[in-house]
Amino acid sequence: MSAEKAPLPFGYTFMAGAIAGVSEILVMYPLDVVKTRVQLQTGKAAAGADTYNGMLDCFSKIIKNEGFSRLYRGITAPILMEAPKRATKFAANDKWGKFYRDLFGATQMTQGLSVLTGASAGATESFVVVPFELVKIRLQDKASAGRYNGMIDVVMKTVKNEGILAMYNGLESTLWRHILWNAGYFGCIFQVRQLMPKAETKQAQMTNDIIAGSVGGTIGTLLNTPMDVVKSRIQNTIKVAGQTPKYNWAWPAVATVAKEEGAAALYKGFIPKVLRLGPGGGILLVVYTGVMDFFRDMRDAKTAGL
C-alpha cells in the first residue's frame, strides 16, 4: 500500500488481503455475533432472558443459555466470505488508487484521494459480500436455531421461499456501509501514517500499522454503524410476496429506527463492533503489510538469483 515500495502483481495483493481477512475474523468473530444480536433487538427497553442490556449482558446470556460455541455460530459463511471480501478490499483499493492517481495526474496519494479510493473499494467489496452477509445475519439471530440447519440450509430456504434475488437483500445498505467504512479506514490510515515518525525497523512499521489501522477501523465504525444496524434488520427480514417489509431501503430504515427507538438505537451494537473493528483494523493492516513484505522479499530474492 505504500507508494515507496515496488508494486506486486494483482494476485499477490489478493492473496495478502485474503490472509489478513481470515486472521482477523478468527480472532474477532464472537464480537460480531454479539453486535448482530444487539442490533436485531428492537424496542427501547430490554429485560428478561431473551433480551440484552448491552455487550457484556449479551455475552453472558449467550454463553449461559446457549453455550460458548454459539459465539461461533455462522462462522462458516464469514470464513468463506473473508478471503474474497478482504482480498477484494485491498486489491480494489490498490487498483482504484492507481486509477485515481492517473485520472487526476497525481504522482502520490493525498488525503482526498485516499478517501475517494477507499469509498470506491468499499463499493466494489459490497457486491462480493452481500450473500455471505445475509447468511451470516440469519444464522446469528437467536431465532435461527429452530429455523436453519446451517449455511446451506439458509441458502436453500431463502432461494426457495423468497427467490434467488433475495440473496442480495440489503445490497443498497451494504453499499452505504462499506463505502463509509472504507472511506474512513483508508483515509485515516493515510493521515495517521503522515503524522507518525517514519518507521526505520520492522517492529516500528508494525507499531505504526497497528495504530493507523486501529484508528482507521474506529473512525470507519463511527461513520457506518447506523447503516450496519439497518442492514442487519433488512437482511434478517424474510420477504413475503405482496407485503412491503418494514425495513426495506437504507435511509428510510434509518428514519424508522430513529423515530421508533430514538437516534441512539442507530448505534446499537457499537461497542462490540468498535472493539472488533478498531483493533481488527489494526490486525488487518499489520497482517496485510507483513504478507505483502514477505511476497516482496520472495520476489527480490528470486530476482537476485538466490
Side-chain angles (χ1 to χ4, degrees):
M1 292 172 62
S2 172
E4 299 175 350
K5 297 177 181 178
L8 286 167
F10 175 81
Y12 288 103
T13 306
F14 196 86
M15 288 169 57
I19 293 169
V22 172
S23 301
E24 188 270 341
I25 197 72
L26 288 172
V27 175
M28 296 294 186
Y29 187 74
L31 286 167
D32 191 60
V33 173
V34 170
K35 181 264 299 184
T36 300
R37 288 286 188 93
V38 174
Q39 288 180 345
L40 293 177
Q41 183 170 266
T42 59
K44 296 181 180 179
D50 294 329
T51 51
Y52 310 112
N53 293 305
M55 180 184 74
L56 295 179
D57 185 54
C58 186
F59 260 119
S60 65
K61 284 181 177 176
I62 290 174
I63 294 171
K64 178 181 178 181
N65 300 328
E66 305 170 55
F68 180 82
S69 63
R70 187 71 176 187
L71 291 171
Y72 282 88
R73 178 168 170 80
I75 196 172
T76 304
I79 286 290
L80 293 175
M81 171 182 72
E82 280 304 304
K85 173 184 176 181
R86 302 305 188 184
T88 301
K89 176 196 295 293
F90 285 102
N93 189 69
D94 279 0
K95 289 294 183 181
W96 280 113
K98 183 179 185 304
F99 171 80
Y100 287 126
R101 287 195 302 273
D102 292 344
L103 181 66
F104 295 108
T107 57
Q108 293 186 344
M109 292 297 289
T110 64
Q111 178 71 54
L113 286 179
S114 294
V115 172
L116 181 60
T117 296
S120 300
T124 305
E125 178 188 29
S126 298
F127 289 95
V128 175
V129 307
V130 173
F132 295 97
E133 280 282 324
L134 183 137
V135 171
K136 183 194 76 169
I137 292 297
R138 294 191 176 188
L139 284 175
Q140 288 179 344
D141 184 15
K142 182 179 176 65
S144 72
R147 186 182 299 160
Y148 304 114
N149 296 313
M151 180 182 69
I152 300 300
D153 192 45
V154 175
V155 174
M156 292 179 65
K157 287 180 178 176
T158 299
V159 172
K160 178 181 177 181
N161 298 328
E162 304 171 59
I164 185 68
L165 293 179
M167 294 302 300
Y168 271 84
N169 284 351
L171 173 60
E172 180 222 6
S173 55
T174 302
L175 277 166
W176 283 112
R177 185 184 78 153
H178 285 261
I179 287 170
L180 291 169
W181 196 87
N182 282 275
Y185 181 65
F186 287 110
C188 283
I189 285 173
F190 176 87
Q191 188 61 45
V192 172
R193 279 176 164 172
Q194 294 295 109
L195 294 173
M196 296 185 72
K198 181 176 176 60
E200 301 293 343
T201 66
K202 290 281 187 181
Q203 183 62 43
Q205 179 64 55
M206 183 179 293
T207 300
N208 285 1
D209 285 346
I210 281 282
I211 294 171
S214 297
V215 171
T218 300
I219 297 301
T221 302
L222 280 168
L223 292 173
N224 89 333
T225 295
M227 282 298 161
D228 194 38
V229 170
V230 299
K231 182 199 76 70
S232 293
R233 296 190 182 186
I234 289 169
Q235 291 190 315
N236 198 48
T237 299
I238 297 176
K239 290 193 173 182
V240 178
Q243 295 183 14
T244 301
K246 180 178 181 179
Y247 305 109
N248 196 14
W249 296 100
W251 291 106
V254 167
T256 297
V257 172
K259 179 181 178 180
E260 294 184 353
E261 303 171 50
L266 292 169
Y267 277 85
K268 281 186 173 181
F270 175 75
I271 293 177
K273 181 177 169 69
V274 78
L275 287 176
R276 178 196 169 187
L277 293 177
I283 292 171
L284 274 175
L285 188 58
V286 166
V287 175
Y288 175 79
T289 303
V291 174
M292 288 294 282
D293 286 344
F294 173 74
F295 287 150
R296 287 190 185 94
D297 290 343
M298 286 179 57
R299 178 195 60 188
D300 294 343
K302 184 177 180 180
T303 300
L306 298 178

